[in-house]
Amino acid sequence: MSDPTTAVYMLMTGIYLVVTSWKTLAFLRGPTVTLALITSAFFVGGVVYAMASPAGYRFLGEQFGQPRIATLPIYIGILYCYAVTHILTLLWTPARNAPRWKIRRTVGLWTGAYGMAIVAMTVTFLNADLDGPADPLRFNTQQADDPYVQVFLAILLLTLACGTLSTWQRARRAESTNPQVRHALRWFGGSMLVTFGYVLCSAPAIFLAAVRHPELETLGVFGSYFGILGCLGTCYGMTGAAFSAWLRERRDSAALQPLWKLVVGDVDTGLMYSAAIGKPHLWGAVRVVLTRRIIEILDGIWTVRPWARAEIAQAVYELEDGTLSPHELEAVITAAVLRDAVARYRGSPEATRSEGAQLRAAPSGQAAGVLPGQGTAAQDERARLVRVARALQHPLVDAALERAAATCAAAAESAVEEPAAGHR
């Protein structure tokens, strides 16, 4: 029994410490009180699960010469983690039109209540007369005959019950315009309700054990799994939205790679912050890389903008059959104009043949206004550029470039024939 339990608890330890490392990096990049609380809660949670595993519990007991000493930091750590969740919920869900001082007072009162509970638990535990086998999963029922342990467990369960139910009610009624906060609160509420199952299972098991009827001891052990499920839900609530955002940032960074190569890598490497930005798959500070990539792309577009031709945009309009949405059409036009402008900027053989002239010389200001999307708001640039990057190989782009090339070739041929006819 202990080996599977140890494996489950150590898995939870690994999950918590991995998230701790991730949140620590985020905190170092942008320190905030919220990130500090979340990071500390994950670190404490990881340590708690390591100590609560049968192997970790026995190890600490052997090191300190007191088989059950790990129980105190385990239960204090549990209370701390749920206190952080509760306090975050209070900070994220202030009452409508509540003044700042009232929010601070509410947070202060709950923080004080958790602090007093931890002090009282420490005092009662240290005065308890503990005996019998040291089993972390059955401590509540095996030691329930000691009065100090009864007070110790009563404080724990009462504080957990008040905290979890208060968090659940607050999260359930809360409204927020921030999608990440809404995600966190939705999971906080459900997780706290699940965690309350630990209280419901433990309370009757402890009461019966205290009056010498340990028939429900297994129910108390079963309650610990409600705690695990609640922790997993809270963990996802604190990280799920951020992780999803990280995945979207990484996806968009990879999607922008072809556009980056077109207007930066193939135009001017001096626009790059560093060569590493050009790599399509990065696992580090994805948001930083994505932001830099967007800036470099916009600089590259500005560089080739004078070479943009209205004929390319007109060709797209003529070929488009009305099936594209306005955003899609804008992306296709931009992609086509950029591909042509880069070719003209570089003076490629294909562009030279179609134009019949040297194209590296900057054209006149007639290109102003050819590229759509110039007035895009900063917060919308990422989505716009991703659409453009995905449209680079759109069939309509190729067709528009071919039509524009054919038109230019016909015009050049006509221009050559006219002087010849005049000489005849």
Side-chain angles (χ1 to χ4, degrees):
M1 176 76 178
S2 63
D3 288 339
T5 304
T6 296
V8 171
Y9 277 46
M10 295 311 292
L11 175 62
M12 293 293 295
T13 298
I15 293 172
Y16 267 71
L17 294 184
V18 166
V19 177
T20 299
S21 301
W22 176 29
K23 291 298 183 181
T24 299
L25 292 175
F27 176 79
L28 292 176
R29 289 196 300 268
T32 64
V33 174
T34 298
L35 274 176
L37 288 173
I38 291 175
T39 304
S40 66
F42 275 110
F43 176 74
V44 171
V47 173
V48 163
Y49 271 108
M51 292 189 297
S53 67
Y57 196 85
R58 288 193 300 268
F59 175 78
L60 284 178
E62 292 169 359
Q63 293 299 310
F64 287 91
Q66 298 182 24
R68 301 160 202 83
I69 190 63
T71 301
L72 179 60
I74 289 171
Y75 283 13
I76 288 176
I78 291 172
L79 209 56
Y80 175 80
C81 291
Y82 284 103
V84 168
T85 305
H86 189 186
I87 289 169
L88 287 175
T89 304
L90 292 173
L91 291 173
W92 289 339
T93 59
R96 184 171 298 178
N97 300 323
R100 188 175 295 274
W101 66 265
K102 191 172 183 179
I103 299 171
R104 287 199 298 265
R105 187 187 66 180
T106 302
V107 171
L109 288 174
W110 274 106
T111 303
Y114 282 113
M116 288 189 293
I118 288 173
V119 171
M121 286 171 60
T122 303
V123 172
T124 53
F125 183 87
L126 294 178
N127 283 280
D129 183 16
L130 307 176
D131 57 7
D135 186 341
L137 298 179
R138 289 177 167 79
F139 174 89
N140 292 357
T141 51
Q142 287 177 347
Q143 308 298 325
D145 57 341
D146 185 279
Y148 285 102
V149 172
Q150 293 170 9
V151 176
F152 170 80
L153 294 175
I155 295 171
L156 171 70
L157 295 181
L158 180 62
T159 308
L160 270 182
C162 293
T164 54
L165 292 179
S166 175
T167 305
W168 169 65
Q169 289 184 338
R170 191 86 179 220
R172 185 171 57 90
R173 297 196 304 262
E175 296 179 359
S176 175
T177 57
N178 188 320
Q180 293 194 9
V181 171
R182 287 200 306 271
H183 169 92
L185 292 174
R186 184 168 60 250
W187 280 89
F188 281 2
S191 301
M192 292 302 101
L193 199 58
V194 171
T195 303
F196 185 65
Y198 171 80
V199 178
L200 294 178
C201 290
S202 298
I206 293 170
F207 175 78
L208 289 178
V211 295
R212 310 289 182 175
H213 289 283
E215 290 84 358
L216 294 182
E217 184 179 65
T218 303
L219 178 63
V221 174
F222 182 72
S224 63
Y225 293 99
F226 281 101
I228 294 175
L229 291 176
C231 286
L232 287 173
T234 304
C235 180
Y236 184 72
M238 290 185 180
T239 62
F243 184 68
S244 298
W246 182 85
L247 288 177
R248 289 193 298 271
E249 288 164 0
R250 190 169 184 273
R251 177 202 64 198
D252 289 352
S253 183
L256 287 172
Q257 172 65 14
L259 181 59
W260 180 93
K261 186 177 185 305
L262 176 69
V263 300
V264 178
D266 292 346
V267 169
D268 186 358
T269 56
L271 297 171
M272 299 164 53
Y273 279 84
S274 69
I277 299 297
K279 297 179 180 178
H281 299 293
L282 293 169
W283 290 92
V286 178
R287 182 168 297 177
V288 175
V289 172
L290 177 60
T291 302
R292 287 182 175 180
R293 180 162 289 179
I294 290 171
I295 293 172
E296 291 176 4
I297 288 173
L298 292 174
D299 288 343
I301 291 175
W302 184 261
T303 300
V304 301
R305 182 169 171 263
W307 280 262
R309 291 191 298 166
E311 292 85 351
I312 305 298
Q314 184 60 36
V316 174
Y317 280 119
E318 292 172 356
L319 292 169
E320 202 270 325
D321 58 4
T323 59
L324 298 178
S325 69
H327 282 314
E328 291 172 333
L329 179 59
E330 178 187 283
V332 169
I333 292 173
T334 306
V337 172
L338 285 177
R339 281 181 55 181
D340 177 73
V342 170
R344 285 162 57 80
Y345 175 86
R346 296 181 66 200
S348 67
E350 293 80 9
T352 302
R353 282 197 298 270
S354 66
E355 294 292 322
Q358 178 55 256
L359 299 173
R360 281 306 297 262
S364 65
Q366 63 180 357
V370 172
L371 275 170
Q374 297 299 310
T376 304
Q379 65 268 22
D380 299 327
E381 279 290 10
R382 171 179 159 189
R384 182 180 77 91
L385 293 178
V386 168
R387 289 193 296 269
V388 172
R390 289 174 175 160
L392 286 174
Q393 301 304 322
H394 195 284
L396 190 56
V397 172
D398 295 329
L401 292 176
E402 290 174 4
R403 170 172 287 199
T407 302
C408 288
E413 184 177 345
S414 176
V416 170
E417 290 176 353
E418 285 180 4
H423 286 299
R424 289 197 298 269

